[in-house]
Amino acid sequence: MLRVDNSGEKMQRSQKNNRQIIRLGAFTDKGKMREINEDNYYISGFDYEYQNENGYIIIADGMGGHNAGEVASQIAVDEIRKYISEKYQQAMTDEEIQNMIHESLVKANSVIFNRSNDNKQCTGMGTTAILCVIKSHRLYIAHVGDSRVYIIRNQILNQITTDHSIVEELVNSGSITREEAENHPQKNVITRALGAEEDIEIDIYLHNLEDKDIILLCTDGLTNMLTDEEIISEFSKDENIQLTIEKLVKMANDKGGLDNITAIALKLQY
């Protein structure tokens, strides 16, 4: 099922020009408690200080025994990347891009689900997945799980994606408060993952981007350890996005590093 959120259409679009400079930072770490890193990511079309209007990022946080989480997240990244590289065309409309990113996650879900059924060591594996495509001043997102996308604008951390988790459902129903959710015993239990079921519901978002926006993608190994205020504070201190990302991962580890940690950020300048 495709669920589209076009709330970002209400944002004002920068009209300065049609070029943008991307400043990018990315870092992943297994954390302090896990034996291996089951997170995976891929970045295409961007480079440090590189002028380019188009590119995409994939981030996946795997789960499952016998290191199958690592397998699931790698399959997700590989299948999504392959699908986008085959299907993307410069002249695509918003609707065509949204359909493309949706179908890329559907394809990945099918491959992971079949591998899980065919290989006993992979039984029950799954992964969160986020695909972000940036085309000119537009951000297209496909999302499953509890990894997150934020837009930092005017020193405010705006969460774009909604977690697919038991705790998020409890908050939305009014059963618990957002503050109670922070320490809930089922905080890490997700309700959707690629590979968990044959059919998967995928959330699709479309947002307009503005000058100096920072797009942050991360797995829950970061957000479970750091507050919004801590994240905003680090981005306000240093223009070097790579150093900021590395500092955030270090801070999450210093607070316990209970999970794998992956964070990717892009700062846009038009």
Side-chain angles (χ1 to χ4, degrees):
M1 182 183 297
L2 174 66
R3 188 171 77 88
V4 179
D5 180 351
N6 287 320
S7 59
E9 296 293 333
K10 299 176 183 178
M11 300 179 185
Q12 295 297 313
R13 179 176 176 179
S14 171
Q15 298 289 345
K16 292 182 179 179
N17 52 56
N18 291 322
R19 300 295 294 174
Q20 63 191 20
I21 298 174
I22 303 293
R23 289 189 170 88
L24 184 149
F27 200 73
T28 187
D29 189 88
K30 70 181 182 65
K32 294 293 185 66
M33 305 300 291
R34 300 296 179 91
E35 293 183 0
I36 66 168
N37 193 345
E38 294 185 320
D39 290 355
N40 273 289
Y41 73 88
Y42 180 80
I43 301 170
S44 176
F46 304 118
D47 201 351
Y48 298 88
E49 305 294 333
Y50 185 69
Q51 288 197 17
N52 186 20
E53 291 184 353
N54 306 314
Y56 64 92
I57 301 169
I58 308 163
I59 193 169
D61 178 0
M63 63 209 75
H66 304 289
N67 300 338
E70 182 183 28
V71 175
S73 64
Q74 188 63 63
I75 291 174
V77 168
D78 290 344
E79 292 297 327
I80 294 168
R81 176 185 57 80
K82 183 166 62 175
Y83 193 93
I84 298 300
S85 65
E86 291 175 353
K87 301 295 184 180
Y88 178 79
Q89 297 180 18
Q90 178 65 28
M92 294 177 94
T93 66
D94 285 342
E95 183 178 1
E96 288 171 336
I97 293 176
Q98 290 176 90
N99 287 335
M100 176 188 68
I101 64 176
H102 174 263
E103 290 305 309
S104 72
L105 266 67
V106 169
K107 173 63 175 176
N109 180 74
S110 177
V111 174
I112 297 168
F113 181 78
N114 290 334
R115 177 76 68 85
S116 178
N117 288 335
D118 294 342
N119 187 325
K120 289 184 178 179
Q121 287 191 321
C122 293
T123 299
M125 72 176 179
T127 183
T128 71
I130 288 174
L131 167 62
C132 285
V133 174
I134 296 175
K135 183 174 184 290
S136 188
H137 302 267
R138 309 278 262 179
L139 173 64
Y140 307 82
I141 303 168
H143 169 240
V144 171
D146 64 353
S147 297
R148 294 178 179 176
V149 178
Y150 295 91
I151 293 178
I152 301 174
R153 179 177 295 165
N154 300 322
Q155 299 296 311
I156 299 173
L157 186 68
N158 302 291
Q159 183 176 335
I160 305 303
T161 54
T162 298
D163 294 350
H164 302 138
S165 67
I166 288 178
V167 164
E168 188 66 26
E169 291 181 356
L170 291 173
V171 171
N172 290 337
S173 68
S175 299
I176 61 174
T177 65
R178 183 64 65 186
E179 291 71 25
E180 290 170 333
E182 292 300 318
N183 297 305
H184 196 279
Q186 293 180 299
K187 183 176 181 178
N188 296 321
V189 180
I190 63 176
T191 55
R192 286 190 226 168
L194 292 187
E197 297 180 0
E198 188 171 6
D199 296 316
I200 185 70
E201 183 178 357
I202 298 162
D203 290 352
I204 304 294
Y205 302 84
L206 171 60
H207 280 261
N208 286 331
L209 297 170
E210 297 183 3
D211 185 34
K212 295 183 173 59
D213 277 352
I214 297 173
I215 302 165
L216 173 65
L217 295 80
C218 58
T219 58
D220 65 341
L222 186 81
T223 51
N224 282 342
M225 306 307 297
L226 302 181
T227 66
D228 290 0
E229 291 74 20
E230 287 171 322
I231 293 172
I232 284 291
S233 175
E234 291 307 313
F235 277 107
S236 66
K237 289 178 182 177
D238 198 328
E239 287 293 317
N240 189 312
I241 297 296
Q242 180 62 36
L243 292 180
T244 299
I245 287 295
E246 291 178 14
K247 177 66 181 301
L248 289 171
V249 172
K250 182 180 184 300
M251 290 169 60
N253 272 325
D254 289 345
K255 286 193 166 189
L258 301 181
D259 200 353
N260 306 147
I261 311 160
T262 300
I264 303 169
L266 298 93
K267 184 172 184 179
L268 310 177
Q269 290 182 276
Y270 298 133

mmCIF file of all heavy atoms in Angstrom, residues 65-66 68 115-124:
data_model
loop_
_atom_site.group_PDB
_atom_site.id
_atom_site.type_symbol
_atom_site.label_atom_id
_atom_site.label_comp_id
_atom_site.label_asym_id
_atom_site.label_seq_id
_atom_site.Cartn_x
_atom_site.Cartn_y
_atom_site.Cartn_z
ATOM 1 N N GLY A 65 18.478 -12.988 13.807
ATOM 2 C CA GLY A 65 19.538 -13.791 14.400
ATOM 3 C C GLY A 65 20.576 -14.239 13.387
ATOM 4 O O GLY A 65 20.413 -14.089 12.182
ATOM 5 N N HIS A 66 21.685 -14.795 13.907
ATOM 6 C CA HIS A 66 22.768 -15.327 13.065
ATOM 7 C C HIS A 66 23.296 -14.284 12.080
ATOM 8 O O HIS A 66 23.639 -14.600 10.937
ATOM 9 C CB HIS A 66 22.306 -16.566 12.298
ATOM 10 C CG HIS A 66 21.785 -17.663 13.162
ATOM 11 N ND1 HIS A 66 22.603 -18.421 13.977
ATOM 12 C CD2 HIS A 66 20.524 -18.129 13.356
ATOM 13 C CE1 HIS A 66 21.869 -19.313 14.626
ATOM 14 N NE2 HIS A 66 20.612 -19.145 14.271
ATOM 15 N N ALA A 68 21.722 -12.231 10.479
ATOM 16 C CA ALA A 68 20.828 -12.069 9.331
ATOM 17 C C ALA A 68 20.389 -10.626 9.145
ATOM 18 O O ALA A 68 20.028 -10.220 8.044
ATOM 19 C CB ALA A 68 19.603 -12.970 9.482
ATOM 20 N N ARG A 115 14.330 -14.608 0.557
ATOM 21 C CA ARG A 115 15.575 -15.132 1.136
ATOM 22 C C ARG A 115 15.339 -15.652 2.547
ATOM 23 O O ARG A 115 15.879 -16.694 2.945
ATOM 24 C CB ARG A 115 16.636 -14.026 1.158
ATOM 25 C CG ARG A 115 17.957 -14.431 1.818
ATOM 26 C CD ARG A 115 18.794 -15.307 0.931
ATOM 27 N NE ARG A 115 19.271 -14.551 -0.214
ATOM 28 C CZ ARG A 115 20.372 -13.794 -0.214
ATOM 29 N NH1 ARG A 115 21.132 -13.707 0.876
ATOM 30 N NH2 ARG A 115 20.732 -13.150 -1.299
ATOM 31 N N SER A 116 14.515 -14.963 3.304
ATOM 32 C CA SER A 116 14.197 -15.393 4.664
ATOM 33 C C SER A 116 13.501 -16.743 4.677
ATOM 34 O O SER A 116 13.757 -17.583 5.544
ATOM 35 C CB SER A 116 13.308 -14.341 5.344
ATOM 36 O OG SER A 116 12.948 -14.734 6.645
ATOM 37 N N ASN A 117 12.632 -16.968 3.710
ATOM 38 C CA ASN A 117 11.914 -18.240 3.633
ATOM 39 C C ASN A 117 12.773 -19.375 3.097
ATOM 40 O O ASN A 117 12.573 -20.538 3.442
ATOM 41 C CB ASN A 117 10.670 -18.087 2.746
ATOM 42 C CG ASN A 117 9.588 -17.270 3.422
ATOM 43 O OD1 ASN A 117 9.524 -17.203 4.647
ATOM 44 N ND2 ASN A 117 8.737 -16.634 2.628
ATOM 45 N N ASP A 118 13.740 -19.047 2.254
ATOM 46 C CA ASP A 118 14.555 -20.074 1.594
ATOM 47 C C ASP A 118 15.779 -20.488 2.394
ATOM 48 O O ASP A 118 16.337 -21.568 2.162
ATOM 49 C CB ASP A 118 15.017 -19.571 0.213
ATOM 50 C CG ASP A 118 13.850 -19.390 -0.755
ATOM 51 O OD1 ASP A 118 12.773 -19.961 -0.496
ATOM 52 O OD2 ASP A 118 14.019 -18.644 -1.741
ATOM 53 N N ASN A 119 16.216 -19.643 3.312
ATOM 54 C CA ASN A 119 17.447 -19.903 4.057
ATOM 55 C C ASN A 119 17.147 -19.899 5.552
ATOM 56 O O ASN A 119 16.757 -18.876 6.111
ATOM 57 C CB ASN A 119 18.487 -18.826 3.711
ATOM 58 C CG ASN A 119 19.852 -19.112 4.297
ATOM 59 O OD1 ASN A 119 19.970 -19.653 5.390
ATOM 60 N ND2 ASN A 119 20.891 -18.725 3.572
ATOM 61 N N LYS A 120 17.332 -21.046 6.210
ATOM 62 C CA LYS A 120 16.985 -21.164 7.629
ATOM 63 C C LYS A 120 17.748 -20.173 8.491
ATOM 64 O O LYS A 120 17.225 -19.677 9.502
ATOM 65 C CB LYS A 120 17.244 -22.590 8.110
ATOM 66 C CG LYS A 120 16.270 -23.621 7.555
ATOM 67 C CD LYS A 120 16.538 -24.995 8.144
ATOM 68 C CE LYS A 120 15.529 -26.019 7.615
ATOM 69 N NZ LYS A 120 15.767 -27.377 8.155
ATOM 70 N N GLN A 121 18.999 -19.884 8.136
ATOM 71 C CA GLN A 121 19.781 -18.949 8.931
ATOM 72 C C GLN A 121 19.263 -17.523 8.815
ATOM 73 O O GLN A 121 19.606 -16.659 9.631
ATOM 74 C CB GLN A 121 21.249 -18.996 8.501
ATOM 75 C CG GLN A 121 21.967 -20.260 8.943
ATOM 76 C CD GLN A 121 23.465 -20.152 8.731
ATOM 77 O OE1 GLN A 121 23.915 -19.605 7.729
ATOM 78 N NE2 GLN A 121 24.228 -20.672 9.673
ATOM 79 N N CYS A 122 18.439 -17.287 7.814
ATOM 80 C CA CYS A 122 17.893 -15.944 7.611
ATOM 81 C C CYS A 122 16.427 -15.834 8.022
ATOM 82 O O CYS A 122 15.807 -14.784 7.814
ATOM 83 C CB CYS A 122 18.028 -15.542 6.139
ATOM 84 S SG CYS A 122 19.735 -15.332 5.593
ATOM 85 N N THR A 123 15.881 -16.885 8.599
ATOM 86 C CA THR A 123 14.476 -16.883 8.986
ATOM 87 C C THR A 123 14.163 -15.727 9.933
ATOM 88 O O THR A 123 14.862 -15.517 10.932
ATOM 89 C CB THR A 123 14.097 -18.208 9.671
ATOM 90 O OG1 THR A 123 14.304 -19.279 8.752
ATOM 91 C CG2 THR A 123 12.642 -18.206 10.109
ATOM 92 N N GLY A 124 13.143 -14.954 9.596
ATOM 93 C CA GLY A 124 12.710 -13.864 10.459
ATOM 94 C C GLY A 124 13.489 -12.576 10.313
ATOM 95 O O GLY A 124 13.243 -11.618 11.050
#
